[in-house]
Amino acid sequence: MAKTKRLALMALLTAIALTIFVIENQIPAPVPIPGVKLGLANIITLVAMVLLSRREAGAVLLVRILMGAMFAGSPSTLLFSAAGGALAYAVMCLTVGLFPENRLWVVSALAGVAHNAGQLIACMLVVKTPGVLAYAPILAASGVVTGVFTGLAAMYLLRALRKTKL
Amino acid sequence: MLNLLFYHKQGLIDKHGRFNYNTIMKKKTWIWVLILAAVVLAGVIATIRISRRSGTYALITVDGELVERIDLSKVRESRDLVVETAYGRNIVHIEQGAISVTEADCPDQICVLMGKLTTDGGMPIICMPHRLMIEIEDDGLDG
């Protein structure tokens, strides 16, 4: 892929991820558990990682988190999405090469758990009470469920994108 | 021995008897389905157990610092406690055997939606933007 094309694709993916992120923020939380959400913008991070590279996906993620906080969040949500995003990105980088593309949902599930773990750590630092650990099990479970969902979504998106001979 | 033959046929071990991790990664979808399902199941079961922990004292903390420790079993008349800090404002409703957040000036309102935390258990109420946390102090007498 030509350099210009990669840059255009990165910009496009960032814009899409940001849109998804802002729209998802407008929808009220489906379950009243702090930290549980679908994380649909992660679909784009996964797609960027497969179509482009780890580094470029990291850039897309970083810009999305920073601009997402500017558009939709507050300083405290920035802290959580940054902590979750950083850990999820690290796990994605480590595992994406280990699995074939049709097993991308496993990568995504692991990243989902890592994302929630990062959020929980940030939460513990903020609230300064070990009691938040009560949420660790349900956050691990929800990380797997939402991770598999976004992973499958990313796989279907990749399949469709390949047909367009991007 | 039969086992080894089976693993060999599946491509899990090569002819030298060494484990072939690549094949495991590539072939065994069900292993991952099983592992991930186990995590979900364990998480749900652990959460149910945690939410059954009971105690009579409720702790209200902001930023890790204790605001109030209330014996919920001894509350005669229900009252509202206004917790106002630099982070924001929450109204905590205290009644006999239960505590809840009824109002918050935060955008997500998760703490309000979480409902009541009772002396019989429940998940701690957290208001992340306001660094507020309400939990039941475990009296250690749970089953």
Side-chain angles (χ1 to χ4, degrees):
Chain A
M1 218 186 286
K3 224 177 166 183
T4 337
K5 206 175 167 187
R6 294 182 85 94
L7 190 64
L9 187 59
M10 274 170 75
L12 188 65
L13 288 175
T14 310
I16 296 169
L18 198 55
T19 313
I20 295 173
F21 183 78
V22 170
I23 291 174
E24 200 190 350
N25 249 354
Q26 301 304 313
I27 303 168
V31 276
I33 300 169
V36 173
K37 62 178 227 172
L38 263 173
L40 292 172
N42 259 333
I43 297 171
I44 303 300
T45 315
L46 278 167
V47 168
M49 203 164 267
V50 175
L51 281 183
L52 298 162
S53 68
R54 292 183 174 96
R55 269 185 66 185
E56 283 156 314
V60 169
L61 178 67
L62 185 69
V63 174
R64 189 259 288 172
I65 287 174
L66 290 177
M67 291 185 76
M70 271 165 60
F71 286 134
S74 56
S76 74
T77 49
L78 172 65
L79 174 70
F80 296 118
S81 56
L87 217 58
Y89 176 68
V91 168
M92 256 187 231
C93 283
L94 289 173
T95 54
V96 77
L98 296 175
F99 295 93
E101 204 182 299
N102 62 346
R103 209 78 81 243
L104 199 62
W105 53 272
V106 181
V107 176
S108 180
L110 297 174
V113 174
H115 180 274
N116 284 356
Q119 275 196 329
L120 194 70
I121 292 166
C123 179
M124 269 176 70
L125 293 177
V126 166
V127 181
K128 300 187 187 89
T129 318
V132 289
L133 277 178
Y135 281 99
I138 197 67
L139 284 177
S142 90
V144 169
V145 174
T146 60
V148 167
F149 182 79
T150 54
L152 288 173
M155 274 165 59
Y156 287 114
L157 184 57
L158 279 166
R159 246 175 246 178
L161 280 175
R162 291 247 159 78
K163 273 185 199 149
T164 64
K165 303 204 172 59
L166 190 80
Chain B
M1 205 50 219
L2 204 66
N3 252 346
L4 280 181
L5 205 67
F6 175 74
Y7 286 142
H8 188 64
K9 266 191 181 159
Q10 297 278 308
L12 285 181
I13 51 171
D14 59 15
K15 57 187 173 198
H16 308 293
R18 285 183 300 232
F19 255 106
N20 188 344
Y21 286 104
N22 253 342
T23 333
I24 296 174
M25 291 294 199
K26 284 200 179 103
K27 270 194 173 171
K28 297 290 152 184
T29 301
W30 62 267
I31 289 182
W32 286 104
V33 172
L34 228 60
I35 293 174
L36 296 178
V39 172
V40 173
L41 199 68
V44 170
I45 290 171
T47 305
I48 291 170
R49 285 187 62 96
I50 287 169
S51 66
R52 278 192 191 143
R53 284 192 304 204
S54 56
T56 54
Y57 282 95
L59 301 177
I60 304 174
T61 56
V62 172
D63 225 354
E65 270 167 45
L66 191 67
V67 174
E68 210 168 311
R69 183 169 178 268
I70 310 150
D71 188 343
L72 288 178
S73 63
K74 291 203 177 95
V75 177
R76 292 267 173 269
E77 260 171 43
S78 42
R79 63 187 168 101
D80 282 339
L81 176 72
V82 180
V83 181
E84 194 155 16
T85 61
Y87 308 114
R89 187 180 134 102
N90 295 71
I91 296 179
V92 181
H93 185 68
I94 300 158
E95 57 195 291
Q96 166 109 46
I99 188 164
S100 57
V101 177
T102 47
E103 236 183 278
D105 60 356
C106 62
D108 61 12
Q109 299 291 311
I110 282 177
C111 52
V112 178
L113 293 171
M114 285 183 74
K116 284 179 185 173
L117 178 61
T118 70
T119 47
D120 296 328
M123 296 299 280
I125 298 172
I126 302 177
C127 177
M128 281 316 308
H130 298 172
R131 310 189 174 194
L132 173 87
M133 168 129 173
I134 304 171
E135 58 188 316
I136 293 287
E137 196 176 42
D138 199 356
D139 57 9
L141 292 172
D142 56 343

mmCIF file of all heavy atoms in Angstrom, chain B residues 34-57:
data_model
loop_
_atom_site.group_PDB
_atom_site.id
_atom_site.type_symbol
_atom_site.label_atom_id
_atom_site.label_comp_id
_atom_site.label_asym_id
_atom_site.label_seq_id
_atom_site.Cartn_x
_atom_site.Cartn_y
_atom_site.Cartn_z
ATOM 1 N N LEU B 34 -14.013 -22.732 25.188
ATOM 2 C CA LEU B 34 -14.112 -23.281 26.545
ATOM 3 C C LEU B 34 -13.463 -22.354 27.571
ATOM 4 O O LEU B 34 -14.052 -22.045 28.615
ATOM 5 C CB LEU B 34 -13.410 -24.642 26.575
ATOM 6 C CG LEU B 34 -14.187 -25.784 27.222
ATOM 7 C CD1 LEU B 34 -15.497 -26.017 26.491
ATOM 8 C CD2 LEU B 34 -13.349 -27.047 27.213
ATOM 9 N N ILE B 35 -12.232 -21.888 27.269
ATOM 10 C CA ILE B 35 -11.523 -21.012 28.211
ATOM 11 C C ILE B 35 -12.322 -19.735 28.460
ATOM 12 O O ILE B 35 -12.551 -19.332 29.608
ATOM 13 C CB ILE B 35 -10.110 -20.637 27.669
ATOM 14 C CG1 ILE B 35 -9.218 -21.883 27.636
ATOM 15 C CG2 ILE B 35 -9.468 -19.554 28.530
ATOM 16 C CD1 ILE B 35 -7.879 -21.643 26.980
ATOM 17 N N LEU B 36 -12.782 -19.120 27.362
ATOM 18 C CA LEU B 36 -13.494 -17.849 27.498
ATOM 19 C C LEU B 36 -14.826 -18.047 28.207
ATOM 20 O O LEU B 36 -15.217 -17.239 29.058
ATOM 21 C CB LEU B 36 -13.687 -17.196 26.125
ATOM 22 C CG LEU B 36 -12.381 -16.802 25.414
ATOM 23 C CD1 LEU B 36 -12.664 -16.218 24.050
ATOM 24 C CD2 LEU B 36 -11.585 -15.813 26.256
ATOM 25 N N ALA B 37 -15.515 -19.146 27.893
ATOM 26 C CA ALA B 37 -16.785 -19.424 28.570
ATOM 27 C C ALA B 37 -16.552 -19.638 30.059
ATOM 28 O O ALA B 37 -17.346 -19.196 30.894
ATOM 29 C CB ALA B 37 -17.462 -20.640 27.947
ATOM 30 N N ALA B 38 -15.425 -20.307 30.401
ATOM 31 C CA ALA B 38 -15.105 -20.540 31.809
ATOM 32 C C ALA B 38 -14.877 -19.225 32.539
ATOM 33 O O ALA B 38 -15.331 -19.043 33.679
ATOM 34 C CB ALA B 38 -13.869 -21.434 31.924
ATOM 35 N N VAL B 39 -14.189 -18.286 31.873
ATOM 36 C CA VAL B 39 -13.945 -16.971 32.489
ATOM 37 C C VAL B 39 -15.264 -16.259 32.769
ATOM 38 O O VAL B 39 -15.488 -15.722 33.856
ATOM 39 C CB VAL B 39 -13.042 -16.088 31.589
ATOM 40 C CG1 VAL B 39 -12.955 -14.674 32.127
ATOM 41 C CG2 VAL B 39 -11.657 -16.697 31.476
ATOM 42 N N VAL B 40 -16.166 -16.292 31.776
ATOM 43 C CA VAL B 40 -17.461 -15.626 31.937
ATOM 44 C C VAL B 40 -18.236 -16.264 33.092
ATOM 45 O O VAL B 40 -18.745 -15.564 33.977
ATOM 46 C CB VAL B 40 -18.279 -15.693 30.629
ATOM 47 C CG1 VAL B 40 -19.687 -15.146 30.848
ATOM 48 C CG2 VAL B 40 -17.585 -14.909 29.539
ATOM 49 N N LEU B 41 -18.285 -17.592 33.086
ATOM 50 C CA LEU B 41 -19.039 -18.312 34.119
ATOM 51 C C LEU B 41 -18.464 -18.026 35.500
ATOM 52 O O LEU B 41 -19.193 -17.702 36.449
ATOM 53 C CB LEU B 41 -18.986 -19.813 33.818
ATOM 54 C CG LEU B 41 -20.063 -20.650 34.496
ATOM 55 C CD1 LEU B 41 -21.415 -20.304 33.903
ATOM 56 C CD2 LEU B 41 -19.768 -22.130 34.333
ATOM 57 N N ALA B 42 -17.122 -18.108 35.622
ATOM 58 C CA ALA B 42 -16.473 -17.847 36.912
ATOM 59 C C ALA B 42 -16.755 -16.431 37.379
ATOM 60 O O ALA B 42 -17.032 -16.181 38.559
ATOM 61 C CB ALA B 42 -14.971 -18.086 36.796
ATOM 62 N N GLY B 43 -16.713 -15.484 36.429
ATOM 63 C CA GLY B 43 -16.973 -14.089 36.759
ATOM 64 C C GLY B 43 -18.367 -13.887 37.304
ATOM 65 O O GLY B 43 -18.570 -13.205 38.306
ATOM 66 N N VAL B 44 -19.350 -14.502 36.638
ATOM 67 C CA VAL B 44 -20.738 -14.343 37.064
ATOM 68 C C VAL B 44 -20.953 -14.991 38.434
ATOM 69 O O VAL B 44 -21.560 -14.393 39.332
ATOM 70 C CB VAL B 44 -21.693 -14.937 36.006
ATOM 71 C CG1 VAL B 44 -23.119 -14.991 36.535
ATOM 72 C CG2 VAL B 44 -21.644 -14.111 34.736
ATOM 73 N N ILE B 45 -20.415 -16.204 38.607
ATOM 74 C CA ILE B 45 -20.591 -16.898 39.892
ATOM 75 C C ILE B 45 -19.935 -16.111 41.021
ATOM 76 O O ILE B 45 -20.525 -15.898 42.083
ATOM 77 C CB ILE B 45 -20.011 -18.334 39.811
ATOM 78 C CG1 ILE B 45 -20.884 -19.190 38.895
ATOM 79 C CG2 ILE B 45 -19.944 -18.963 41.208
ATOM 80 C CD1 ILE B 45 -20.302 -20.544 38.570
ATOM 81 N N ALA B 46 -18.708 -15.628 40.777
ATOM 82 C CA ALA B 46 -18.004 -14.849 41.805
ATOM 83 C C ALA B 46 -18.778 -13.589 42.160
ATOM 84 O O ALA B 46 -18.861 -13.201 43.328
ATOM 85 C CB ALA B 46 -16.604 -14.497 41.316
ATOM 86 N N THR B 47 -19.364 -12.957 41.142
ATOM 87 C CA THR B 47 -20.124 -11.727 41.396
ATOM 88 C C THR B 47 -21.356 -12.009 42.246
ATOM 89 O O THR B 47 -21.673 -11.246 43.168
ATOM 90 C CB THR B 47 -20.539 -11.078 40.067
ATOM 91 O OG1 THR B 47 -19.375 -10.873 39.285
ATOM 92 C CG2 THR B 47 -21.237 -9.757 40.297
ATOM 93 N N ILE B 48 -22.030 -13.106 41.951
ATOM 94 C CA ILE B 48 -23.200 -13.468 42.756
ATOM 95 C C ILE B 48 -22.783 -13.701 44.207
ATOM 96 O O ILE B 48 -23.426 -13.229 45.146
ATOM 97 C CB ILE B 48 -23.877 -14.726 42.168
ATOM 98 C CG1 ILE B 48 -24.523 -14.385 40.827
ATOM 99 C CG2 ILE B 48 -24.940 -15.270 43.128
ATOM 100 C CD1 ILE B 48 -25.012 -15.580 40.044
ATOM 101 N N ARG B 49 -21.666 -14.392 44.390
ATOM 102 C CA ARG B 49 -21.173 -14.647 45.754
ATOM 103 C C ARG B 49 -20.823 -13.340 46.470
ATOM 104 O O ARG B 49 -21.161 -13.133 47.620
ATOM 105 C CB ARG B 49 -19.951 -15.562 45.719
ATOM 106 C CG ARG B 49 -20.283 -17.009 45.447
ATOM 107 C CD ARG B 49 -19.040 -17.861 45.613
ATOM 108 N NE ARG B 49 -18.541 -17.793 46.980
ATOM 109 C CZ ARG B 49 -18.840 -18.691 47.913
ATOM 110 N NH1 ARG B 49 -19.617 -19.692 47.627
ATOM 111 N NH2 ARG B 49 -18.348 -18.582 49.129
ATOM 112 N N ILE B 50 -20.110 -12.466 45.731
ATOM 113 C CA ILE B 50 -19.691 -11.190 46.327
ATOM 114 C C ILE B 50 -20.898 -10.358 46.726
ATOM 115 O O ILE B 50 -20.932 -9.762 47.803
ATOM 116 C CB ILE B 50 -18.795 -10.410 45.331
ATOM 117 C CG1 ILE B 50 -17.419 -11.062 45.230
ATOM 118 C CG2 ILE B 50 -18.641 -8.949 45.769
ATOM 119 C CD1 ILE B 50 -16.573 -10.542 44.110
ATOM 120 N N SER B 51 -21.930 -10.352 45.865
ATOM 121 C CA SER B 51 -23.075 -9.496 46.162
ATOM 122 C C SER B 51 -23.917 -10.060 47.300
ATOM 123 O O SER B 51 -24.861 -9.420 47.753
ATOM 124 C CB SER B 51 -23.921 -9.287 44.912
ATOM 125 O OG SER B 51 -24.494 -10.506 44.527
ATOM 126 N N ARG B 52 -23.589 -11.259 47.776
ATOM 127 C CA ARG B 52 -24.329 -11.813 48.915
ATOM 128 C C ARG B 52 -23.662 -11.505 50.252
ATOM 129 O O ARG B 52 -24.190 -11.858 51.300
ATOM 130 C CB ARG B 52 -24.453 -13.332 48.757
ATOM 131 C CG ARG B 52 -25.602 -13.695 47.845
ATOM 132 C CD ARG B 52 -25.908 -15.165 47.934
ATOM 133 N NE ARG B 52 -26.821 -15.550 46.868
ATOM 134 C CZ ARG B 52 -26.755 -16.715 46.235
ATOM 135 N NH1 ARG B 52 -25.831 -17.589 46.569
ATOM 136 N NH2 ARG B 52 -27.613 -17.006 45.291
ATOM 137 N N ARG B 53 -22.477 -10.907 50.204
ATOM 138 C CA ARG B 53 -21.811 -10.568 51.455
ATOM 139 C C ARG B 53 -22.649 -9.550 52.212
ATOM 140 O O ARG B 53 -23.103 -8.571 51.649
ATOM 141 C CB ARG B 53 -20.409 -9.985 51.180
ATOM 142 C CG ARG B 53 -19.416 -11.036 50.801
ATOM 143 C CD ARG B 53 -18.020 -10.484 50.815
ATOM 144 N NE ARG B 53 -17.882 -9.318 49.951
ATOM 145 C CZ ARG B 53 -16.727 -8.922 49.431
ATOM 146 N NH1 ARG B 53 -15.631 -9.588 49.689
ATOM 147 N NH2 ARG B 53 -16.657 -7.858 48.679
ATOM 148 N N SER B 54 -22.829 -9.808 53.492
ATOM 149 C CA SER B 54 -23.717 -8.923 54.233
ATOM 150 C C SER B 54 -23.001 -8.292 55.421
ATOM 151 O O SER B 54 -21.959 -8.748 55.875
ATOM 152 C CB SER B 54 -24.938 -9.708 54.712
ATOM 153 O OG SER B 54 -24.520 -10.809 55.483
ATOM 154 N N GLY B 55 -23.574 -7.222 55.904
ATOM 155 C CA GLY B 55 -23.029 -6.511 57.048
ATOM 156 C C GLY B 55 -23.971 -5.385 57.392
ATOM 157 O O GLY B 55 -24.861 -5.049 56.607
ATOM 158 N N THR B 56 -23.811 -4.783 58.563
ATOM 159 C CA THR B 56 -24.762 -3.737 58.940
ATOM 160 C C THR B 56 -24.182 -2.340 58.751
ATOM 161 O O THR B 56 -24.925 -1.376 58.682
ATOM 162 C CB THR B 56 -25.207 -3.885 60.408
ATOM 163 O OG1 THR B 56 -24.051 -3.921 61.224
ATOM 164 C CG2 THR B 56 -26.012 -5.156 60.610
ATOM 165 N N TYR B 57 -22.859 -2.242 58.670
ATOM 166 C CA TYR B 57 -22.266 -0.913 58.551
ATOM 167 C C TYR B 57 -22.042 -0.527 57.095
ATOM 168 O O TYR B 57 -21.482 -1.300 56.325
ATOM 169 C CB TYR B 57 -20.934 -0.840 59.296
ATOM 170 C CG TYR B 57 -21.108 -0.694 60.782
ATOM 171 C CD1 TYR B 57 -21.082 -1.807 61.616
ATOM 172 C CD2 TYR B 57 -21.330 0.558 61.344
ATOM 173 C CE1 TYR B 57 -21.264 -1.677 62.984
ATOM 174 C CE2 TYR B 57 -21.510 0.700 62.703
ATOM 175 C CZ TYR B 57 -21.476 -0.426 63.519
ATOM 176 O OH TYR B 57 -21.672 -0.271 64.853
#
